[in-house]
Amino acid sequence: MVRTNENVTSFLAGAKELLNTSRQFSDIYRYIINNNRKNIYAEYFNLNNKVKSYKYQKFDQNVKRYAAYIKSKINADENSRIVLKMTNSPSWGEIFWAILMSGFVPILIDAKLPRDNAENLAKQGKAVAIITDDSHDYSISKIRTDNILQSSVNDDVITKWANEAIFSSGGTTGDAKLMVFNGENFVHQICCSLDMGKETTDIIYNKKCGKVKILAMIPFHHIFGFVAVFLWYTFYGKTLVFPKSNTPNDLLQICQKVGVTHVYSVPLFWDSLALSTTRKFALQSDDKKVLLDKMIKYNLKEIDAKEAGLASKPIVNDKIKAIILGKKVRYCISGGGYLSSDTLRTINGLGYPLYNGYGMTEIGVTSVELSKDVDVRLLGQIGHPLHGVEYRINENNELFVKSPTIHIREIIAGVESDTKFVDGFYPTGDVVSKEGNGYLIKGRMKDVIINANGENIFPDELEIYFKGLPFVNNLCVLGVISKDKTMHEDTVLVLEIDDKANEETLKDLEKTIKEIKLPHDTVIDQIYLAKNCLPLANNMKVKRFAIKKDIENSSNKYVLINAKKTSTKTRKFSEETLKNILPEVRKLFSKVLILPSFKIDDEDHWINDLGGDSMNYVELVQEIDNTFNIEITEEKYGQLTCVNDFVEEIARLTK
């Protein structure tokens, strides 16, 4: 059957059946099983690296068995809450439904959360148990996922389904925010797909029109992964493809091997794929570099077939795509953050239609660009509201959303309350502009930087200018209150540097940054280096607010590298000291602190700036004594606080 808008729309119309039910989670589950029993639910690699699969019929059997086991192990009232802390796998979905089927409410959290943070979320959500595959002990009942998967209990325990699920947008503090959704929210979330077939025949379609295999890489505890991958595609009976891990090699391997057709991910993934592909071809012959360039331009309709030559041939396109995401991919979505125009151009130019989408934990997925026109895709817009969703923009350009998909209650710091609306609309905190038939996200209101000229600077737009810098693993742009105490903010660039970098590469990096021409005469006022990895929300987006707070509170987590030194001390060292003593002391600081030397300024305080403590201070003194064959007396302990202090003392003792 050839895909047409009419037959795709007819297929998606199946979602309307849910509107005639009681709109419970149980109704969604029954539809999935009754309509898709013979379809393949999951494909994955087994321990022998062989691709395995099984159908929704077995999926249903597993869900019932797991529900019986969970109910037999947890002695609590129906609708009590259970934390689900698991990585993506075929069994994640089965255990999610099993929790609901056994009468309990799942609280979905990040599998990578440390124990204390998971405990905090469990406490805020008043959970009675946790299901996890980690090895930690918890203050509430714990069921290991292995025990559930190996269980043989198979009694008919379905009494009353639970009808709520809870998502998290935090967990590190007592102010964790939890959003409570009910079955009706997700019935309407599925129905958001009803009109998609009018604009595209590629996002989802009947199995008679071809296979749909979607990569299950976005964590299912995240609203993007849960709705756009798990919920929508299992409802329509499609196949979820699970990589062994989210490393680039494992992702590309399974996409190529099983013929993945749909890839949905966050900007970080698409940026990385675009950069790695262009760098890979840059290292090859001039002919191959030219071929890739022509292929991209041809797919973007910038040149015709005659100008493209071989690059216009499908067989050549397929050969190049075969070493990237494979040649079967027909629909890609980016969500969860700002998507750069360069990335959009590269990925679409490779022949992978990449669209931008929009959603939030609080509201679900509410729009995605659907146009088949590549010029529209390159605009980076989020499309127009999906079925049942309405957008409104206020005088401050903040996006407000009205939708039956919005959460019904929220839990903040353990206090539960109804969701707050403004005239029936939910304030998203995102700044947008209306662009023709679509919307363009500019950034978060709380992230907007007001510079000395009174201009509004959007960090997302600036960050794209620094993508691809050598030795930079991650970065963010943000505003911090100016040191001159005026109302404006300084524009700050924070870099997470690869430990392979050295002082020379750092100097080159600073020079490169200064030479980058930013729009609207914007300048970077300060550059900070992070001593550890930048904090991420749901392992996807950098937590700007947390970094901003740390920098404004002079936290030692970040080192300012382009500011004039504020030390009142003037150090005058001999040429011999500068050559023989100073470099060695820096190395010893670096060794004891386990910190790259370029992150250590010679006037940085051992405790206040570098995060050292009294124990490793003693270790440092011992290292210095042994290296320079001296003995620094205990009365000097604590008085020598930085590299230069020790250099002066060593120079005095070795005269």
Side-chain angles (χ1 to χ4, degrees):
M1 181 188 295
V2 177
R3 277 190 302 276
T4 65
N5 291 99
E6 185 178 346
N7 64 43
V8 171
T9 299
S10 175
F11 171 61
L12 297 179
K16 290 181 180 178
E17 291 185 28
L18 291 176
L19 299 177
N20 297 321
T21 67
S22 57
R23 302 180 186 181
Q24 306 275 309
F25 271 114
S26 56
D27 297 311
I28 297 173
Y29 183 78
R30 290 188 191 102
Y31 182 98
I32 292 172
I33 301 306
N34 292 341
N35 289 277
N36 306 309
R37 190 172 293 275
K38 294 182 179 180
N39 294 350
I40 294 176
Y41 160 62
E43 289 190 344
Y44 58 96
F45 282 120
N46 67 6
L47 296 177
N48 296 320
N49 213 32
K50 300 292 184 182
V51 177
K52 304 290 288 184
S53 66
Y54 62 95
K55 297 180 179 180
Y56 282 88
Q57 182 174 6
K58 182 179 179 182
F59 171 88
D60 181 41
Q61 294 169 355
N62 289 342
V63 171
K64 291 174 179 175
R65 179 160 54 90
Y66 300 161
Y69 182 82
I70 292 169
K71 193 164 186 69
S72 71
K73 290 295 180 181
I74 298 178
N75 183 23
D77 295 335
E78 289 182 339
N79 291 312
S80 294
R81 294 165 179 171
I82 299 176
V83 173
L84 179 58
K85 184 177 186 282
M86 284 179 62
T87 54
N88 278 17
S89 67
S91 56
W92 188 100
E94 295 164 344
I95 293 177
F96 166 78
W97 284 115
I99 293 172
L100 287 163
M101 186 182 284
S102 60
F104 299 116
V105 174
I107 300 177
L108 311 179
I109 71 171
D110 188 348
K112 295 180 180 178
L113 270 183
R115 176 195 172 280
D116 289 347
N117 294 355
E119 281 271 16
N120 176 53
L121 279 174
K123 180 180 178 182
Q124 304 304 316
K126 299 180 174 60
V128 299
I130 182 169
I131 295 174
T132 181
D133 46 16
D134 69 32
S135 58
H136 301 303
D137 292 326
Y138 290 89
S139 59
I140 54 178
S141 297
K142 172 185 172 181
I143 302 178
R144 287 187 59 83
T145 54
D146 285 347
N147 293 338
I148 296 176
L149 304 185
Q150 295 166 13
S151 65
S152 58
V153 177
N154 205 21
D155 297 328
D156 185 7
V157 296
I158 306 173
T159 53
K160 183 179 180 181
W161 280 66
N163 193 44
E164 290 184 347
I166 301 175
F167 289 75
S168 165
S169 66
T172 57
T173 69
D175 295 329
K177 185 176 181 181
L178 297 164
M179 275 66 67
V180 183
F181 294 83
N182 63 15
E184 185 164 7
N185 292 140
F186 286 112
V187 163
H188 285 289
Q189 184 70 84
I190 291 168
C191 289
C192 279
S193 63
L194 283 172
D195 297 332
M196 289 179 175
K198 297 176 182 178
E199 297 180 76
T200 178
T201 58
D202 289 327
I203 192 167
I204 197 164
Y205 40 83
N206 193 311
K207 64 181 179 181
K208 294 180 181 179
C209 300
K211 292 181 178 179
V212 173
K213 296 184 178 184
I214 187 164
L215 185 64
M217 67 172 295
I218 297 293
F220 289 165
H221 76 271
H222 189 273
I223 199 74
F224 180 23
F226 182 84
V227 170
V229 180
F230 177 71
L231 184 67
W232 273 344
Y233 284 87
T234 56
F235 178 80
Y236 289 110
K238 304 309 178 183
T239 302
L240 306 185
V241 177
F242 294 88
K244 288 185 292 186
S245 75
N246 277 0
T247 62
N249 285 341
D250 284 345
L251 290 171
L252 299 189
Q253 181 189 23
I254 200 161
C255 284
Q256 296 162 7
K257 193 160 187 176
V258 308
V260 164
T261 61
H262 292 61
V263 181
Y264 298 172
S265 194
V266 294
L268 187 64
F269 170 80
W270 297 114
D271 288 343
S272 176
L273 183 66
L275 186 62
S276 63
T277 301
T278 53
R279 283 181 175 176
K280 186 184 297 183
F281 275 83
L283 296 174
Q284 299 186 32
S285 66
D286 290 341
D287 288 345
K288 289 187 177 179
K289 286 188 289 185
V290 171
L291 184 67
L292 180 70
D293 183 57
K294 286 186 176 181
M295 174 181 164
I296 290 174
K297 289 180 178 178
Y298 175 73
N299 287 331
L300 297 180
K301 301 179 181 179
E302 296 174 357
I303 60 176
D304 59 26
K306 184 177 179 180
E307 293 173 289
L310 285 174
S312 67
K313 305 298 182 184
I315 190 171
V316 175
N317 274 240
D318 285 348
K319 190 173 181 180
I320 291 175
K321 290 161 70 174
I323 62 172
I324 307 174
L325 288 176
K327 56 187 180 182
K328 299 288 188 181
V329 174
R330 64 181 318 110
Y331 212 91
C332 305
I333 295 178
S334 179
Y338 187 84
L339 186 61
S340 79
S341 56
D342 285 344
T343 295
L344 272 167
R345 186 178 186 281
T346 299
I347 301 301
N348 278 285
L350 290 171
Y352 299 125
L354 177 60
Y355 302 78
N356 208 8
Y358 178 74
M360 293 173 59
T361 307
E362 293 86 346
I363 66 175
V365 177
T366 56
S367 65
V368 61
E369 182 57 65
L370 297 170
S371 173
K372 290 187 174 183
D373 188 339
V374 67
D375 291 331
V376 174
R377 293 201 299 271
L378 293 181
L379 296 175
Q381 296 178 1
I382 58 171
H384 53 75
L386 296 173
H387 182 89
V389 180
E390 184 180 348
Y391 284 173
R392 178 186 292 176
I393 302 174
N394 73 358
E395 65 278 4
N396 296 318
N397 294 319
E398 181 182 2
L399 177 65
F400 284 68
V401 176
K402 178 185 282 188
S403 172
T405 64
I406 296 172
H407 69 293
I408 56 171
R409 298 193 308 282
E410 58 191 24
I411 304 168
I412 301 177
V415 179
E416 193 160 344
S417 61
D418 291 336
T419 305
K420 297 175 179 61
F421 295 89
V422 179
D423 297 328
F425 284 77
Y426 186 83
T428 67
D430 282 318
V431 180
V432 305
S433 60
K434 183 75 166 60
E435 307 282 344
N437 193 39
Y439 294 79
L440 185 66
I441 299 293
K442 306 288 286 184
R444 297 287 292 165
M445 290 193 69
K446 66 181 182 181
D447 292 335
V448 175
I449 304 167
I450 303 175
N451 69 9
N453 296 326
E455 292 184 71
N456 288 348
I457 307 297
F458 295 98
D460 284 329
E461 294 182 344
L462 291 189
E463 287 177 0
I464 63 175
Y465 289 86
F466 305 104
K467 298 288 185 182
L469 288 173
F471 296 100
V472 176
N473 294 334
N474 206 348
L475 61 88
C476 75
V477 172
L478 50 86
V480 298
I481 301 299
S482 176
K483 298 296 183 183
D484 60 15
K485 306 300 182 183
T486 56
M487 292 298 292
H488 80 270
E489 293 179 305
D490 287 335
T491 303
V492 171
L493 173 64
V494 185
L495 304 173
E496 178 189 314
I497 303 292
D498 193 303
D499 285 346
K500 295 177 183 177
N502 54 40
E503 292 186 44
E504 197 59 39
T505 54
L506 184 60
K507 289 178 183 177
D508 292 340
L509 188 59
E510 284 188 67
K511 182 181 177 182
T512 301
I513 291 171
K514 289 177 182 177
E515 292 173 349
I516 293 174
K517 295 187 182 302
L518 301 175
H520 314 303
D521 296 320
T522 304
V523 296
I524 297 297
D525 298 301
Q526 299 168 19
I527 303 172
Y528 283 85
L529 295 186
K531 294 182 179 179
N532 298 297
C533 295
L534 294 180
L536 301 178
N538 287 310
N539 297 304
M540 295 183 185
K541 295 185 290 186
V542 174
K543 294 181 178 179
R544 287 199 187 101
F545 182 75
I547 299 173
K548 173 185 172 74
K549 184 177 179 181
D550 282 335
I551 290 176
E552 289 181 342
N553 291 334
S554 301
S555 167
N556 59 16
K557 296 178 183 177
Y558 303 94
V559 179
L560 183 61
I561 65 170
N562 67 327
K564 294 180 180 179
K565 302 307 176 187
T566 57
S567 173
T568 57
K569 293 184 179 181
T570 301
R571 313 278 188 166
K572 291 185 178 180
F573 296 131
S574 68
E575 185 176 338
E576 181 181 354
T577 298
L578 290 171
K579 180 180 179 181
N580 299 321
I581 300 178
L582 186 59
E584 287 299 318
V585 175
R586 283 194 195 123
K587 286 181 183 178
L588 294 175
F589 265 62
S590 176
K591 175 183 176 182
V592 175
L593 290 166
I594 316 176
L595 197 65
S597 61
F598 64 80
K599 295 187 179 183
I600 301 171
D601 184 81
D602 294 342
E603 292 289 348
D604 280 348
H605 192 281
W606 179 261
I607 296 175
N608 298 337
D609 297 317
L610 300 176
D613 55 38
S614 59
M615 291 183 66
N616 53 25
Y617 183 87
V618 173
E619 181 186 349
L620 173 70
V621 174
Q622 291 174 344
E623 289 278 358
I624 287 176
D625 284 350
N626 293 334
T627 300
F628 293 97
N629 196 25
I630 60 174
E631 185 178 351
I632 296 175
T633 60
E634 287 190 17
E635 64 185 28
K636 289 284 186 178
Y637 286 21
Q639 295 180 23
L640 309 177
T641 63
C642 65
V643 169
N644 282 340
D645 283 348
F646 279 98
V647 170
E648 281 186 339
E649 182 65 10
I650 294 166
R652 184 183 70 82
L653 293 174
T654 55
K655 278 185 179 179

Short mmCIF file of all heavy atoms in Angstrom, two decimals, residues 441-473:
data_model
loop_
_atom_site.label_atom_id
_atom_site.label_comp_id
_atom_site.label_asym_id
_atom_site.label_seq_id
_atom_site.Cartn_x
_atom_site.Cartn_y
_atom_site.Cartn_z
N ILE A 441 11.14 29.01 19.36
CA ILE A 441 11.53 29.16 20.77
C ILE A 441 12.81 29.97 20.85
O ILE A 441 13.83 29.65 20.23
CB ILE A 441 11.73 27.79 21.43
CG1 ILE A 441 10.44 26.97 21.41
CG2 ILE A 441 12.23 27.96 22.87
CD1 ILE A 441 9.33 27.52 22.27
N LYS A 442 12.79 31.04 21.64
CA LYS A 442 13.98 31.90 21.81
C LYS A 442 14.80 31.50 23.03
O LYS A 442 16.00 31.68 23.06
CB LYS A 442 13.54 33.36 21.94
CG LYS A 442 12.66 33.85 20.81
CD LYS A 442 13.43 34.02 19.53
CE LYS A 442 14.31 35.24 19.54
NZ LYS A 442 15.00 35.47 18.26
N GLY A 443 14.13 30.99 24.06
CA GLY A 443 14.84 30.60 25.28
C GLY A 443 13.92 30.70 26.48
O GLY A 443 12.75 31.06 26.37
N ARG A 444 14.48 30.37 27.66
CA ARG A 444 13.73 30.45 28.91
C ARG A 444 13.74 31.88 29.43
O ARG A 444 14.77 32.56 29.39
CB ARG A 444 14.35 29.52 29.96
CG ARG A 444 14.33 28.06 29.61
CD ARG A 444 12.94 27.48 29.71
NE ARG A 444 12.46 27.44 31.10
CZ ARG A 444 11.17 27.24 31.42
NH1 ARG A 444 10.26 27.10 30.48
NH2 ARG A 444 10.82 27.18 32.69
N MET A 445 12.60 32.35 29.94
CA MET A 445 12.53 33.71 30.47
C MET A 445 13.55 33.93 31.58
O MET A 445 14.20 34.96 31.66
CB MET A 445 11.12 34.00 30.99
CG MET A 445 10.08 34.13 29.90
SD MET A 445 8.53 34.83 30.52
CE MET A 445 9.02 36.52 30.88
N LYS A 446 13.72 32.90 32.42
CA LYS A 446 14.63 33.05 33.55
C LYS A 446 16.09 33.06 33.12
O LYS A 446 16.97 33.46 33.88
CB LYS A 446 14.41 31.93 34.58
CG LYS A 446 14.76 30.54 34.08
CD LYS A 446 14.50 29.49 35.14
CE LYS A 446 14.89 28.10 34.67
NZ LYS A 446 14.63 27.06 35.68
N ASP A 447 16.36 32.63 31.87
CA ASP A 447 17.73 32.59 31.37
C ASP A 447 18.13 33.83 30.58
O ASP A 447 19.31 34.02 30.26
CB ASP A 447 17.94 31.36 30.46
CG ASP A 447 17.87 30.05 31.22
OD1 ASP A 447 18.15 30.08 32.44
OD2 ASP A 447 17.55 29.02 30.62
N VAL A 448 17.14 34.67 30.22
CA VAL A 448 17.43 35.84 29.39
C VAL A 448 18.40 36.77 30.13
O VAL A 448 18.23 37.09 31.30
CB VAL A 448 16.13 36.60 29.04
CG1 VAL A 448 16.46 37.88 28.28
CG2 VAL A 448 15.23 35.72 28.20
N ILE A 449 19.44 37.21 29.42
CA ILE A 449 20.46 38.10 29.98
C ILE A 449 20.15 39.54 29.57
O ILE A 449 19.95 39.81 28.38
CB ILE A 449 21.87 37.72 29.48
CG1 ILE A 449 22.18 36.26 29.80
CG2 ILE A 449 22.92 38.65 30.08
CD1 ILE A 449 23.40 35.73 29.06
N ILE A 450 20.09 40.46 30.52
CA ILE A 450 19.90 41.88 30.21
C ILE A 450 21.26 42.55 30.34
O ILE A 450 21.79 42.71 31.44
CB ILE A 450 18.89 42.53 31.16
CG1 ILE A 450 17.55 41.79 31.10
CG2 ILE A 450 18.70 44.00 30.82
CD1 ILE A 450 16.52 42.27 32.08
N ASN A 451 21.87 42.93 29.20
CA ASN A 451 23.24 43.46 29.24
C ASN A 451 23.25 44.95 29.57
O ASN A 451 22.21 45.56 29.83
CB ASN A 451 23.97 43.15 27.93
CG ASN A 451 23.41 43.94 26.75
OD1 ASN A 451 22.59 44.83 26.90
ND2 ASN A 451 23.89 43.60 25.56
N ALA A 452 24.45 45.53 29.54
CA ALA A 452 24.63 46.93 29.94
C ALA A 452 23.86 47.89 29.03
O ALA A 452 23.51 49.00 29.45
CB ALA A 452 26.11 47.28 29.93
N ASN A 453 23.58 47.48 27.78
CA ASN A 453 22.83 48.32 26.85
C ASN A 453 21.32 48.13 26.99
O ASN A 453 20.55 48.74 26.24
CB ASN A 453 23.24 48.00 25.41
CG ASN A 453 24.69 48.33 25.15
OD1 ASN A 453 25.22 49.29 25.70
ND2 ASN A 453 25.34 47.52 24.32
N GLY A 454 20.92 47.26 27.93
CA GLY A 454 19.50 47.01 28.12
C GLY A 454 18.91 46.02 27.14
O GLY A 454 17.70 45.80 27.13
N GLU A 455 19.76 45.40 26.33
CA GLU A 455 19.29 44.43 25.35
C GLU A 455 19.03 43.07 26.00
O GLU A 455 19.70 42.70 26.96
CB GLU A 455 20.31 44.25 24.22
CG GLU A 455 20.48 45.46 23.33
CD GLU A 455 21.43 45.16 22.18
OE1 GLU A 455 21.05 44.40 21.28
OE2 GLU A 455 22.56 45.67 22.20
N ASN A 456 18.08 42.35 25.43
CA ASN A 456 17.82 40.98 25.88
C ASN A 456 18.69 40.01 25.07
O ASN A 456 18.61 39.98 23.84
CB ASN A 456 16.35 40.61 25.69
CG ASN A 456 15.45 41.32 26.69
OD1 ASN A 456 15.93 41.89 27.66
ND2 ASN A 456 14.16 41.28 26.46
N ILE A 457 19.51 39.25 25.77
CA ILE A 457 20.40 38.28 25.14
C ILE A 457 19.89 36.88 25.48
O ILE A 457 19.68 36.55 26.65
CB ILE A 457 21.85 38.44 25.63
CG1 ILE A 457 22.32 39.89 25.47
CG2 ILE A 457 22.77 37.47 24.91
CD1 ILE A 457 22.37 40.37 24.04
N PHE A 458 19.71 36.05 24.45
CA PHE A 458 19.23 34.69 24.67
C PHE A 458 20.41 33.72 24.63
O PHE A 458 21.05 33.55 23.58
CB PHE A 458 18.19 34.31 23.61
CG PHE A 458 16.94 35.14 23.70
CD1 PHE A 458 16.76 36.23 22.86
CD2 PHE A 458 15.96 34.86 24.63
CE1 PHE A 458 15.61 37.01 22.94
CE2 PHE A 458 14.81 35.62 24.72
CZ PHE A 458 14.64 36.71 23.88
N PRO A 459 20.73 33.10 25.76
CA PRO A 459 21.90 32.21 25.84
C PRO A 459 21.92 31.11 24.78
O PRO A 459 22.97 30.79 24.23
CB PRO A 459 21.80 31.61 27.25
CG PRO A 459 21.04 32.63 28.04
CD PRO A 459 20.05 33.21 27.07
N ASP A 460 20.76 30.52 24.49
CA ASP A 460 20.70 29.43 23.51
C ASP A 460 21.26 29.88 22.16
O ASP A 460 21.92 29.12 21.46
CB ASP A 460 19.26 28.95 23.32
CG ASP A 460 18.79 28.08 24.48
OD1 ASP A 460 19.64 27.39 25.06
OD2 ASP A 460 17.60 28.11 24.80
N GLU A 461 20.96 31.13 21.79
CA GLU A 461 21.41 31.63 20.49
C GLU A 461 22.91 31.86 20.47
O GLU A 461 23.55 31.76 19.42
CB GLU A 461 20.66 32.92 20.15
CG GLU A 461 19.17 32.72 19.91
CD GLU A 461 18.46 33.99 19.52
OE1 GLU A 461 19.04 35.09 19.72
OE2 GLU A 461 17.33 33.92 19.03
N LEU A 462 23.49 32.21 21.63
CA LEU A 462 24.94 32.44 21.69
C LEU A 462 25.73 31.14 21.74
O LEU A 462 26.83 31.05 21.18
CB LEU A 462 25.29 33.29 22.91
CG LEU A 462 24.85 34.75 22.92
CD1 LEU A 462 25.49 35.48 24.11
CD2 LEU A 462 25.22 35.46 21.63
N GLU A 463 25.17 30.13 22.40
CA GLU A 463 25.92 28.89 22.59
C GLU A 463 26.32 28.22 21.28
O GLU A 463 27.37 27.57 21.20
CB GLU A 463 25.10 27.92 23.45
CG GLU A 463 25.04 28.32 24.91
CD GLU A 463 24.18 27.40 25.75
OE1 GLU A 463 23.61 26.44 25.20
OE2 GLU A 463 24.06 27.66 26.96
N ILE A 464 25.52 28.41 20.24
CA ILE A 464 25.84 27.75 18.97
C ILE A 464 27.14 28.27 18.37
O ILE A 464 27.78 27.58 17.58
CB ILE A 464 24.69 27.91 17.95
CG1 ILE A 464 24.48 29.37 17.59
CG2 ILE A 464 23.42 27.28 18.47
CD1 ILE A 464 23.43 29.58 16.49
N TYR A 465 27.56 29.48 18.76
CA TYR A 465 28.81 30.04 18.22
C TYR A 465 30.04 29.35 18.81
O TYR A 465 31.14 29.47 18.28
CB TYR A 465 28.88 31.55 18.50
CG TYR A 465 27.92 32.36 17.66
CD1 TYR A 465 26.61 32.57 18.08
CD2 TYR A 465 28.31 32.89 16.44
CE1 TYR A 465 25.72 33.30 17.32
CE2 TYR A 465 27.42 33.63 15.66
CZ TYR A 465 26.13 33.83 16.10
OH TYR A 465 25.25 34.54 15.32
N PHE A 466 29.85 28.64 19.92
CA PHE A 466 31.00 28.01 20.59
C PHE A 466 30.99 26.48 20.46
O PHE A 466 31.85 25.82 21.00
CB PHE A 466 31.01 28.40 22.07
CG PHE A 466 31.00 29.89 22.29
CD1 PHE A 466 29.85 30.55 22.70
CD2 PHE A 466 32.14 30.64 22.06
CE1 PHE A 466 29.84 31.92 22.88
CE2 PHE A 466 32.15 32.02 22.24
CZ PHE A 466 30.99 32.66 22.65
N LYS A 467 29.99 25.96 19.73
CA LYS A 467 29.94 24.51 19.51
C LYS A 467 31.15 24.07 18.68
O LYS A 467 31.56 24.75 17.75
CB LYS A 467 28.66 24.12 18.76
CG LYS A 467 27.37 24.45 19.50
CD LYS A 467 27.13 23.54 20.68
CE LYS A 467 25.77 23.82 21.31
NZ LYS A 467 25.54 22.98 22.50
N GLY A 468 31.73 22.96 19.05
CA GLY A 468 32.84 22.41 18.28
C GLY A 468 34.20 22.94 18.67
O GLY A 468 35.20 22.62 18.01
N LEU A 469 34.29 23.74 19.74
CA LEU A 469 35.60 24.22 20.19
C LEU A 469 36.44 23.03 20.64
O LEU A 469 35.93 22.11 21.29
CB LEU A 469 35.44 25.20 21.36
CG LEU A 469 34.88 26.58 21.02
CD1 LEU A 469 34.62 27.36 22.30
CD2 LEU A 469 35.84 27.36 20.12
N PRO A 470 37.74 23.02 20.30
CA PRO A 470 38.58 21.88 20.69
C PRO A 470 38.69 21.75 22.20
O PRO A 470 38.75 22.74 22.92
CB PRO A 470 39.94 22.23 20.06
CG PRO A 470 39.91 23.71 19.86
CD PRO A 470 38.48 24.05 19.56
N PHE A 471 38.70 20.51 22.67
CA PHE A 471 38.87 20.15 24.08
C PHE A 471 37.68 20.58 24.96
O PHE A 471 37.77 20.51 26.18
CB PHE A 471 40.16 20.75 24.66
CG PHE A 471 41.41 20.22 24.02
CD1 PHE A 471 42.06 20.95 23.04
CD2 PHE A 471 41.91 18.97 24.35
CE1 PHE A 471 43.21 20.47 22.43
CE2 PHE A 471 43.04 18.46 23.75
CZ PHE A 471 43.70 19.21 22.78
N VAL A 472 36.58 21.02 24.34
CA VAL A 472 35.40 21.42 25.12
C VAL A 472 34.36 20.29 25.05
O VAL A 472 33.84 19.98 24.00
CB VAL A 472 34.79 22.73 24.58
CG1 VAL A 472 33.51 23.06 25.33
CG2 VAL A 472 35.80 23.86 24.73
N ASN A 473 34.08 19.68 26.20
CA ASN A 473 33.10 18.59 26.27
C ASN A 473 31.67 19.11 26.35
O ASN A 473 30.74 18.51 25.83
CB ASN A 473 33.37 17.70 27.48
CG ASN A 473 34.68 16.95 27.36
OD1 ASN A 473 35.17 16.70 26.27
ND2 ASN A 473 35.26 16.61 28.50
#
